[in-house]
Amino acid sequence: MATEPAGRLSSKDLVGIAPLQAGEIQLILNTAAELLEVARRPIKKVPTLRGHTVVNLFMEPSTRTRFSFEVAEKRLSADTLNFSASASSVSKGETLFDTADNLMAMAPDFIVIRHPRSGAPHRLAKRVSASVINAGDGINEHPTQALLDAFTMQQRRGRLDGLKVVIAGDIRHSRVARSNTYLLTKMGADVHLVAPASLMPPGIESLGATTWLRLEPALEGADVVMMLRIQKERQQQCNFPSLREYFDFFALTPQRLRLARPNALVMHPGPMNRGVEIDSEVADGDQSVILEQVTNGVAIRMAILYLLAGGHGESASHS
Amino acid sequence: MTKGMSAGLQRVQVLDRVAMERTLARMAAEMVEHDAGPIMLVGIHTRGVPLASKLATLIEATSERTVPVGTLDITLYRDDVGPWRPAHSQPVLKRTHLPDSIDGVTVYLVDDVLFTGRTVRAALDSLLDYGRPRAVRLAVLIDRGHRELPIAADVVGKTVPTGLHEDVQVRLDDVDAECGVWIQKGGKGGNDGD
């Protein structure tokens, strides 16, 4: 059964998947499905957010998420301002709130924030009147990634309810895994998390997922296999003996993929480490929807900007 | 006119099913007469879509030409999306689909009611982002007056003088439980389904 979409989002912000209702998630997915069409037009731009200003505040390196937001903002005709940690006064010691107060003095309508500290977008959302969109905070959440992943599954399979989704990799440091687990369990999917014991956070089962310390047994009957990047920058200590050993036990190889359903989707949020968590043959194979995820990411981010763009006041008559 | 008072809530029928069918047949004939070359009908959501299909069927039956039909959602081009709308209640997006290139084709925009003209303005902006038609014309079932922009229809089913506090209700088999056109007195002044 498809979830009935909500009429509107209940918050001015999108700080995570955890506070969303299933109906709100369905509304975002349905809106994105219509916005996909904009990318196929000769003129890939609509005037909807003319005069709206979006600040992209990226305090952590990001290429595809930042580009994806920027493309989404431009396709809706919003004006964009880009702040990155290295080039801004943050590197001179300014606090998040001081940065936010200064940004608000320029009256933006949206702040898209990527931050290394978990919870930073939530704090910012309470501080400012602009709509805050979380583009990834520490090891907490990455809601737009989970929404585009779910959107890709729904476009390909027509539903989320009842799908068996295997997410494998560095679960402990992965905001993608957390957001996906929140989202997929709310929408009725069956979530299986796979990681070596050192990278499996204790208590993660409480989110409604099944956990596995080996990849092979988890793959049986899987509709979707999502591989996560081994985040070298978040490995403070040695969680596994070597990348080679990780590949031997946890990488998605053509042999292992055959344990899943014959037409199972292969997904990866990027950037990929070929030969670490995923074999090139699988990454480039027929079952891979990795590049589709990138295209869908723009539509999802357009949908969120569109839905959050409501202001206050009377609706004008229109006929 | 009383506003929202129960005594003022009268519903007057302007077209019944038979009259609507006759009106649509005449509109189709006028469109054939008007343009000998290739035409495409593009229905504006919501009720312009089934009307465009009906008109295309009528034109094809009488003139032996193929008439492609498209749909247009003008939401992303509205002038009341954004700070003027109530918080967090953006209109639901619907599908825009043009079956073919519109370059060099005469496109008829089709809608149920022509009122302020703002929908048509948005539809023109939207359509022209898809190409350069030879001409764009406008066909509406009901013209109720009260234009706020310099826009006129090329083909009109029926002109109905209305007050600002009356609603024009177009009901079609494919969308609604009944078929016909009514004026609801004492309404908020609009086209419902809008």
Side-chain angles (χ1 to χ4, degrees):
Chain A
M1 274 304 286
T3 309
E4 194 60 32
R8 61 187 182 89
L9 298 181
S10 60
S11 165
K12 79 172 171 69
D13 311 295
L14 180 75
V15 292
I17 299 296
L20 292 182
Q21 306 285 324
E24 295 177 278
I25 292 166
Q26 195 61 55
L27 173 66
I28 296 170
L29 300 181
N30 290 1
T31 304
E34 304 303 335
L35 287 165
L36 266 183
E37 181 262 333
V38 175
R40 295 196 284 262
R41 301 178 181 195
I43 296 176
K44 300 173 184 59
K45 197 178 185 77
V46 292
T48 318
L49 294 188
R50 256 180 324 168
H52 287 68
T53 304
V54 187
V55 172
N56 296 311
L57 188 61
F58 278 73
M59 310 292 215
E60 206 183 58
S62 161
T63 308
R64 82 194 57 209
T65 302
R66 188 166 56 83
F67 275 22
S68 180
F69 267 107
E70 226 180 306
V71 171
E73 292 152 9
K74 289 184 168 158
R75 291 216 169 130
L76 289 170
S77 301
D79 296 314
T80 61
L81 298 170
N82 295 314
F83 275 66
S84 58
S86 56
S88 72
S89 46
V90 178
S91 57
K92 299 169 191 161
E94 192 178 54
T95 67
L96 175 62
F97 279 1
D98 283 335
T99 305
D101 289 348
N102 277 280
L103 290 177
M104 285 314 290
M106 300 176 213
D109 301 282
F110 295 92
I111 298 177
V112 175
I113 180 173
R114 153 82 50 110
H115 202 279
R117 299 296 174 105
S118 302
H122 306 68
R123 297 256 291 161
L124 185 63
K126 290 197 181 81
R127 177 84 169 193
V128 300
S129 56
S131 287
V132 174
I133 301 172
N134 183 356
D137 64 321
I139 59 167
N140 179 38
E141 280 228 48
H142 192 350
T144 58
Q145 179 70 44
L147 284 160
L148 78 88
D149 291 337
F151 181 54
T152 306
M153 293 177 214
Q154 176 143 351
Q155 290 283 103
R156 281 299 193 120
R157 288 290 171 267
R159 67 194 166 97
L160 296 172
D161 188 36
L163 289 185
K164 176 176 177 180
V165 181
V166 174
I167 304 175
D170 181 355
I171 304 294
R172 192 167 104 196
H173 298 99
S174 177
R175 53 196 176 206
V176 175
R178 287 173 63 85
S179 285
N180 262 297
T181 304
Y182 282 129
L183 191 154
L184 292 167
T185 51
K186 280 174 203 265
M187 302 306 281
D190 183 18
V191 182
H192 296 256
L193 303 174
V194 183
S198 54
L199 294 176
M200 183 68 84
I204 189 86
E205 298 87 351
S206 65
L207 298 183
T210 309
T211 57
W212 302 84
L213 300 177
R214 294 286 304 277
L215 183 56
E216 288 88 350
L219 287 173
E220 195 195 329
D223 297 288
V224 178
V225 185
M226 187 187 299
M227 302 309 293
L228 302 176
R229 183 170 66 95
I230 286 301
Q231 305 187 48
K232 292 174 196 141
E233 73 272 22
R234 291 193 212 279
Q235 308 292 347
Q236 275 110 19
Q237 67 263 21
C238 298
N239 292 302
F240 44 84
S242 70
L243 293 178
R244 175 75 213 180
E245 172 138 344
Y246 185 85
F247 180 84
D248 286 345
F249 285 92
F250 289 97
L252 190 60
T253 58
Q255 295 75 25
R256 290 200 177 110
L257 182 56
R258 280 195 278 279
L259 299 171
R261 288 196 184 218
N263 58 351
L265 303 178
V266 173
M267 303 179 72
H268 195 300
M272 281 186 281
N273 293 313
R274 288 170 183 263
V276 179
E277 70 268 1
I278 191 163
D279 190 286
S280 272
E281 199 181 322
V282 174
D284 303 327
D286 293 342
Q287 289 167 254
S288 166
V289 291
I290 294 170
L291 293 177
E292 226 171 281
Q293 289 174 267
V294 179
T295 305
N296 289 341
V298 175
I300 278 290
R301 290 170 179 124
M302 287 173 75
I304 290 159
L305 289 163
Y306 171 73
L307 291 169
L308 291 177
H312 295 269
E314 287 292 303
S315 153
S317 76
H318 205 281
S319 194
Chain B
M1 191 59 57
T2 50
K3 254 201 279 185
M5 304 292 286
S6 59
L9 284 173
Q10 303 159 24
R11 197 164 183 250
V12 178
Q13 189 159 33
V14 183
L15 289 178
D16 61 13
R17 184 188 297 270
V18 175
M20 190 190 286
E21 274 164 18
R22 200 174 345 137
T23 304
L24 288 171
R26 183 183 44 76
M27 288 172 73
E30 273 183 44
M31 290 158 83
V32 171
E33 219 169 273
H34 221 295
D35 293 283
I39 63 171
M40 183 193 292
L41 303 195
V42 175
I44 301 173
H45 280 288
T46 303
R47 288 184 182 77
V49 173
L51 280 176
S53 302
K54 279 178 198 287
L55 285 169
T57 309
L58 289 165
I59 294 170
E60 285 180 342
T62 53
S63 70
E64 288 181 357
R65 43 178 172 172
T66 316
V67 182
V69 183
T71 63
L72 196 65
D73 180 51
I74 57 120
T75 309
L76 297 170
Y77 292 81
R78 288 173 73 126
D79 59 11
D80 59 351
V81 164
W84 301 277
R85 290 195 69 86
H88 312 301
S89 62
Q90 294 283 57
V92 173
L93 299 185
K94 301 197 181 87
R95 179 93 6 127
T96 292
H97 171 71
L98 300 175
D100 220 332
S101 166
I102 59 169
D103 290 338
V105 177
T106 296
V107 175
Y108 266 96
L109 291 171
V110 179
D111 206 358
D112 57 347
V113 180
L114 179 58
F115 184 18
T116 61
R118 288 177 192 269
T119 297
V120 176
R121 193 284 307 161
L124 283 169
D125 282 352
S126 174
L127 190 71
L128 296 180
D129 277 358
Y130 287 88
R132 190 174 189 281
R134 196 186 74 76
V136 183
R137 307 198 197 288
L138 176 63
V140 297
L141 182 62
I142 302 291
D143 181 351
R144 63 167 294 186
H146 304 290
R147 218 77 76 236
E148 293 171 6
L149 293 172
I151 279 169
D154 299 279
V155 176
V156 178
K158 190 175 172 67
T159 302
V160 181
T162 57
L164 273 173
H165 296 298
E166 292 172 329
D167 293 340
V168 176
Q169 302 172 339
V170 174
R171 296 286 180 261
L172 299 168
D173 286 327
D174 304 346
V175 188
D176 312 294
E178 52 190 358
C179 186
V181 180
W182 286 263
I183 290 180
Q184 176 87 61
K185 296 189 189 288
K188 65 185 181 344
N191 313 320
D192 50 14
D194 182 40

Coordinates of all heavy atoms in Angstrom, one line a residue, chain A residues 243-294:
Chain A
L243 N 42.6 -2.3 4.0 CA 41.5 -2.1 3.0 C 41.3 -3.4 2.2 O 40.3 -3.7 1.8 CB 41.9 -0.9 2.1 CG 41.9 0.5 2.8 CD1 42.3 1.5 1.8 CD2 40.5 0.8 3.4
R244 N 42.5 -4.1 2.0 CA 42.4 -5.3 1.3 C 41.6 -6.4 2.0 O 40.8 -7.0 1.4 CB 43.9 -5.8 1.1 CG 44.1 -7.1 0.5 CD 43.8 -7.1 -1.0 NE 43.2 -8.3 -1.5 CZ 42.9 -8.5 -2.8 NH1 43.1 -7.6 -3.7 NH2 42.4 -9.7 -3.1
E245 N 41.8 -6.4 3.3 CA 41.0 -7.4 4.1 C 39.5 -7.0 4.1 O 38.6 -7.8 4.0 CB 41.5 -7.5 5.5 CG 40.6 -8.3 6.4 CD 41.4 -9.2 7.4 OE1 42.6 -9.4 7.1 OE2 40.8 -9.7 8.3
Y246 N 39.3 -5.7 4.2 CA 37.9 -5.2 4.1 C 37.2 -5.7 2.8 O 36.1 -6.2 2.8 CB 37.8 -3.7 4.3 CG 36.4 -3.2 4.4 CD1 35.7 -3.2 5.6 CD2 35.7 -2.8 3.2 CE1 34.4 -2.7 5.7 CE2 34.3 -2.4 3.3 CZ 33.7 -2.4 4.5 OH 32.4 -2.0 4.6
F247 N 37.9 -5.5 1.7 CA 37.4 -5.9 0.4 C 37.1 -7.4 0.4 O 36.0 -7.8 -0.1 CB 38.4 -5.6 -0.7 CG 38.0 -6.0 -2.1 CD1 37.2 -5.1 -2.8 CD2 38.3 -7.2 -2.6 CE1 36.7 -5.5 -4.1 CE2 37.9 -7.6 -3.9 CZ 37.1 -6.7 -4.6
D248 N 38.0 -8.2 1.0 CA 37.8 -9.7 1.0 C 36.5 -10.1 1.7 O 35.9 -11.0 1.3 CB 39.0 -10.4 1.6 CG 40.2 -10.3 0.7 OD1 40.0 -10.1 -0.5 OD2 41.4 -10.6 1.2
F249 N 36.2 -9.4 2.8 CA 35.1 -9.8 3.6 C 33.8 -9.0 3.3 O 32.7 -9.5 3.5 CB 35.4 -9.7 5.1 CG 36.3 -10.8 5.5 CD1 37.7 -10.6 5.5 CD2 35.8 -12.0 5.9 CE1 38.5 -11.7 6.0 CE2 36.6 -13.1 6.3 CZ 38.0 -12.9 6.3
F250 N 33.9 -7.7 2.9 CA 32.7 -6.9 2.9 C 32.4 -6.2 1.6 O 31.3 -5.6 1.5 CB 32.8 -5.8 4.0 CG 32.6 -6.4 5.4 CD1 33.7 -6.7 6.2 CD2 31.3 -6.7 5.9 CE1 33.6 -7.3 7.4 CE2 31.2 -7.3 7.1 CZ 32.3 -7.5 7.9
A251 N 33.2 -6.3 0.6 CA 33.0 -5.7 -0.7 C 31.8 -6.4 -1.4 O 31.7 -7.6 -1.3 CB 34.2 -5.6 -1.5
L252 N 31.1 -5.6 -2.2 CA 30.1 -6.1 -3.1 C 30.8 -6.5 -4.4 O 31.2 -5.7 -5.2 CB 29.0 -5.1 -3.3 CG 27.7 -5.7 -4.0 CD1 27.1 -6.9 -3.2 CD2 26.7 -4.7 -4.4
T253 N 30.9 -7.9 -4.6 CA 31.5 -8.4 -5.8 C 30.4 -9.1 -6.6 O 29.3 -9.3 -6.1 CB 32.6 -9.5 -5.4 OG1 31.8 -10.5 -4.6 CG2 33.7 -9.0 -4.5
P254 N 30.7 -9.4 -7.9 CA 29.7 -10.0 -8.7 C 29.2 -11.3 -8.1 O 28.0 -11.6 -8.1 CB 30.4 -10.3 -10.0 CG 31.5 -9.3 -10.1 CD 31.9 -9.0 -8.7
Q255 N 30.1 -12.1 -7.4 CA 29.7 -13.4 -6.8 C 28.7 -13.1 -5.7 O 27.7 -13.8 -5.6 CB 30.9 -14.1 -6.3 CG 31.9 -14.6 -7.3 CD 32.8 -13.4 -7.8 OE1 32.9 -12.4 -7.2 NE2 33.3 -13.6 -9.1
R256 N 29.0 -12.1 -4.8 CA 28.1 -11.8 -3.7 C 26.8 -11.3 -4.2 O 25.8 -11.6 -3.6 CB 28.8 -10.9 -2.7 CG 30.0 -11.5 -2.0 CD 30.4 -10.7 -0.7 NE 31.4 -11.4 -0.1 CZ 32.7 -10.9 0.0 NH1 33.0 -9.7 -0.5 NH2 33.6 -11.6 0.6
L257 N 26.8 -10.4 -5.2 CA 25.6 -9.8 -5.7 C 24.6 -10.9 -6.2 O 23.4 -10.7 -6.1 CB 25.9 -8.8 -6.8 CG 24.7 -8.1 -7.4 CD1 23.9 -7.3 -6.3 CD2 25.1 -7.1 -8.5
R258 N 25.1 -12.0 -6.6 CA 24.2 -13.1 -7.1 C 23.4 -13.7 -5.9 O 22.5 -14.4 -6.2 CB 25.1 -14.2 -7.8 CG 25.4 -13.8 -9.3 CD 25.8 -15.0 -10.1 NE 27.2 -15.3 -9.9 CZ 28.2 -14.7 -10.6 NH1 28.0 -13.7 -11.4 NH2 29.5 -15.0 -10.3
L259 N 23.8 -13.5 -4.7 CA 23.1 -14.0 -3.5 C 21.8 -13.2 -3.4 O 20.8 -13.7 -2.8 CB 23.9 -13.9 -2.3 CG 25.2 -14.7 -2.2 CD1 26.0 -14.3 -1.0 CD2 24.9 -16.2 -2.3
A260 N 21.7 -11.9 -3.9 CA 20.5 -11.1 -3.7 C 19.5 -11.5 -4.8 O 19.8 -12.4 -5.6 CB 20.9 -9.7 -3.9
R261 N 18.4 -10.9 -4.9 CA 17.4 -11.1 -6.0 C 18.0 -10.9 -7.3 O 18.9 -10.0 -7.4 CB 16.2 -10.3 -5.8 CG 15.4 -10.7 -4.6 CD 14.0 -10.1 -4.7 NE 13.3 -10.5 -3.4 CZ 12.0 -10.9 -3.4 NH1 11.3 -10.8 -4.5 NH2 11.5 -11.3 -2.3
P262 N 17.6 -11.6 -8.4 CA 18.2 -11.4 -9.7 C 18.3 -10.0 -10.2 O 19.3 -9.6 -10.8 CB 17.3 -12.3 -10.6 CG 16.6 -13.2 -9.7 CD 16.5 -12.5 -8.4
N263 N 17.3 -9.2 -9.9 CA 17.3 -7.8 -10.5 C 17.5 -6.8 -9.4 O 17.1 -5.6 -9.5 CB 16.1 -7.5 -11.3 CG 14.8 -7.7 -10.4 OD1 14.9 -8.2 -9.2 ND2 13.7 -7.3 -10.9
A264 N 18.2 -7.2 -8.3 CA 18.4 -6.3 -7.1 C 19.1 -5.0 -7.6 O 20.0 -5.1 -8.4 CB 19.1 -7.0 -6.0
L265 N 18.7 -3.9 -7.0 CA 19.3 -2.6 -7.4 C 20.6 -2.4 -6.6 O 20.6 -2.8 -5.4 CB 18.4 -1.4 -7.0 CG 17.0 -1.4 -7.7 CD1 16.2 -0.2 -7.2 CD2 17.1 -1.4 -9.2
V266 N 21.7 -1.9 -7.2 CA 22.9 -1.6 -6.5 C 23.0 -0.1 -6.4 O 22.9 0.6 -7.4 CB 24.1 -2.2 -7.3 CG1 25.4 -1.7 -6.6 CG2 24.1 -3.7 -7.4
M267 N 23.2 0.4 -5.1 CA 23.2 1.8 -4.9 C 24.5 2.1 -4.1 O 25.0 1.3 -3.4 CB 22.0 2.2 -4.1 CG 20.7 1.9 -4.8 SD 19.2 2.3 -3.9 CE 19.2 4.1 -4.1
H268 N 24.9 3.4 -4.2 CA 26.0 3.9 -3.5 C 25.9 5.4 -3.4 O 25.6 6.1 -4.4 CB 27.3 3.6 -4.2 CG 28.5 3.7 -3.3 ND1 28.9 5.0 -2.8 CD2 29.5 2.9 -2.9 CE1 30.0 4.8 -2.1 NE2 30.4 3.5 -2.1
P269 N 26.0 6.0 -2.2 CA 25.8 7.5 -2.1 C 26.9 8.3 -2.7 O 26.8 9.5 -2.9 CB 25.6 7.7 -0.6 CG 26.3 6.6 0.0 CD 26.2 5.4 -0.9
G270 N 28.1 7.6 -2.9 CA 29.2 8.3 -3.5 C 29.9 9.2 -2.4 O 29.3 9.5 -1.4
P271 N 31.2 9.5 -2.6 CA 32.0 9.0 -3.7 C 32.5 7.6 -3.4 O 32.7 7.2 -2.3 CB 33.2 10.0 -3.7 CG 33.2 10.7 -2.4 CD 31.8 10.5 -1.8
M272 N 32.6 6.8 -4.5 CA 32.9 5.4 -4.3 C 34.4 5.2 -4.1 O 35.2 5.9 -4.7 CB 32.6 4.6 -5.6 CG 31.1 4.3 -5.8 SD 30.9 3.2 -7.2 CE 31.0 4.4 -8.6
N273 N 34.8 4.2 -3.3 CA 36.1 3.7 -3.3 C 36.1 2.3 -4.1 O 35.8 1.3 -3.5 CB 36.6 3.4 -1.9 CG 36.8 4.6 -1.1 OD1 37.3 5.6 -1.5 ND2 36.3 4.6 0.1
R274 N 36.4 2.4 -5.4 CA 36.4 1.1 -6.2 C 37.5 0.2 -5.6 O 38.6 0.7 -5.3 CB 36.7 1.4 -7.6 CG 35.5 2.1 -8.3 CD 36.0 2.6 -9.7 NE 34.9 3.3 -10.4 CZ 34.1 2.8 -11.3 NH1 34.2 1.5 -11.6 NH2 33.1 3.5 -11.8
G275 N 37.1 -1.0 -5.5 CA 38.1 -2.0 -4.9 C 38.2 -2.0 -3.4 O 39.1 -2.7 -2.9
V276 N 37.4 -1.2 -2.7 CA 37.4 -1.2 -1.3 C 36.0 -1.8 -0.9 O 35.9 -2.9 -0.4 CB 37.7 0.1 -0.6 CG1 37.6 0.0 0.9 CG2 39.0 0.7 -1.0
E277 N 34.9 -1.0 -1.1 CA 33.6 -1.5 -0.7 C 32.8 -2.0 -1.9 O 31.8 -2.7 -1.7 CB 32.8 -0.4 0.1 CG 32.3 0.7 -0.7 CD 33.3 1.9 -0.7 OE1 34.3 1.8 -0.1 OE2 33.0 2.9 -1.3
I278 N 33.3 -1.7 -3.1 CA 32.5 -2.1 -4.2 C 33.5 -2.5 -5.4 O 34.5 -1.8 -5.6 CB 31.5 -1.1 -4.7 CG1 30.5 -1.6 -5.7 CG2 32.1 0.2 -5.2 CD1 29.2 -0.8 -5.9
D279 N 33.2 -3.6 -6.1 CA 34.0 -4.0 -7.2 C 33.5 -3.2 -8.4 O 32.3 -2.9 -8.6 CB 33.7 -5.5 -7.4 CG 34.6 -6.1 -8.4 OD1 34.5 -5.9 -9.6 OD2 35.5 -6.9 -8.0
S280 N 34.5 -2.8 -9.3 CA 34.2 -2.0 -10.4 C 33.1 -2.6 -11.3 O 32.3 -2.0 -11.9 CB 35.4 -1.7 -11.3 OG 36.1 -0.6 -10.8
E281 N 33.2 -4.0 -11.5 CA 32.2 -4.7 -12.3 C 30.8 -4.5 -11.9 O 29.9 -4.4 -12.7 CB 32.6 -6.1 -12.3 CG 32.1 -6.9 -13.5 CD 32.5 -8.4 -13.5 OE1 33.6 -8.7 -13.1 OE2 31.6 -9.2 -13.8
V282 N 30.6 -4.4 -10.5 CA 29.3 -4.2 -10.0 C 28.9 -2.7 -10.1 O 27.8 -2.4 -10.5 CB 29.2 -4.7 -8.5 CG1 27.9 -4.3 -7.9 CG2 29.5 -6.1 -8.4
A283 N 29.8 -1.9 -9.8 CA 29.5 -0.4 -9.9 C 29.1 0.0 -11.2 O 28.3 0.9 -11.4 CB 30.8 0.4 -9.4
D284 N 29.7 -0.6 -12.3 CA 29.4 -0.2 -13.7 C 28.4 -1.2 -14.3 O 28.1 -1.1 -15.5 CB 30.6 -0.2 -14.5 CG 31.7 0.7 -13.9 OD1 31.3 1.8 -13.3 OD2 32.9 0.5 -14.0
G285 N 27.9 -2.1 -13.5 CA 27.0 -3.2 -14.1 C 25.6 -2.7 -14.4 O 25.2 -1.6 -14.0
D286 N 24.8 -3.7 -14.9 CA 23.4 -3.4 -15.3 C 22.5 -3.0 -14.1 O 21.5 -2.3 -14.2 CB 22.8 -4.6 -16.0 CG 23.4 -4.9 -17.3 OD1 24.1 -4.0 -17.8 OD2 23.3 -6.0 -17.8
Q287 N 22.8 -3.6 -13.0 CA 22.0 -3.4 -11.8 C 22.3 -2.1 -11.0 O 21.5 -1.8 -10.1 CB 22.1 -4.6 -10.8 CG 21.5 -5.9 -11.4 CD 21.9 -7.1 -10.6 OE1 22.7 -7.9 -11.1 NE2 21.3 -7.3 -9.5
S288 N 23.3 -1.5 -11.4 CA 23.7 -0.3 -10.7 C 22.8 0.9 -11.1 O 22.6 1.2 -12.3 CB 25.2 0.1 -11.1 OG 25.5 1.4 -10.6
V289 N 22.3 1.7 -10.1 CA 21.5 2.9 -10.3 C 22.2 4.1 -9.7 O 21.6 5.1 -9.4 CB 20.1 2.7 -9.8 CG1 19.3 1.7 -10.6 CG2 20.1 2.4 -8.3
I290 N 23.6 4.0 -9.6 CA 24.3 5.0 -8.9 C 24.3 6.4 -9.6 O 24.1 7.4 -8.9 CB 25.8 4.5 -8.7 CG1 25.8 3.3 -7.8 CG2 26.7 5.6 -8.2 CD1 27.2 2.5 -7.8
L291 N 24.3 6.4 -10.9 CA 24.2 7.7 -11.5 C 22.8 8.2 -11.6 O 22.5 9.4 -11.5 CB 24.8 7.6 -13.0 CG 26.3 7.3 -13.0 CD1 26.8 7.2 -14.4 CD2 27.0 8.5 -12.3
E292 N 21.8 7.3 -11.6 CA 20.4 7.7 -11.4 C 20.2 8.4 -10.1 O 19.4 9.4 -10.0 CB 19.5 6.5 -11.5 CG 18.3 6.5 -12.4 CD 17.7 5.2 -12.5 OE1 18.2 4.4 -13.3 OE2 16.7 4.9 -11.8
Q293 N 20.9 7.9 -9.0 CA 20.7 8.6 -7.7 C 21.2 10.1 -7.8 O 20.6 10.9 -7.2 CB 21.6 7.9 -6.7 CG 21.2 6.5 -6.3 CD 22.2 5.8 -5.4 OE1 23.0 5.1 -5.8 NE2 22.1 6.1 -4.1
V294 N 22.2 10.3 -8.6 CA 22.7 11.7 -8.7 C 21.6 12.6 -9.4 O 21.3 13.7 -8.9 CB 24.0 11.8 -9.5 CG1 24.5 13.2 -9.6 CG2 25.0 10.9 -8.8

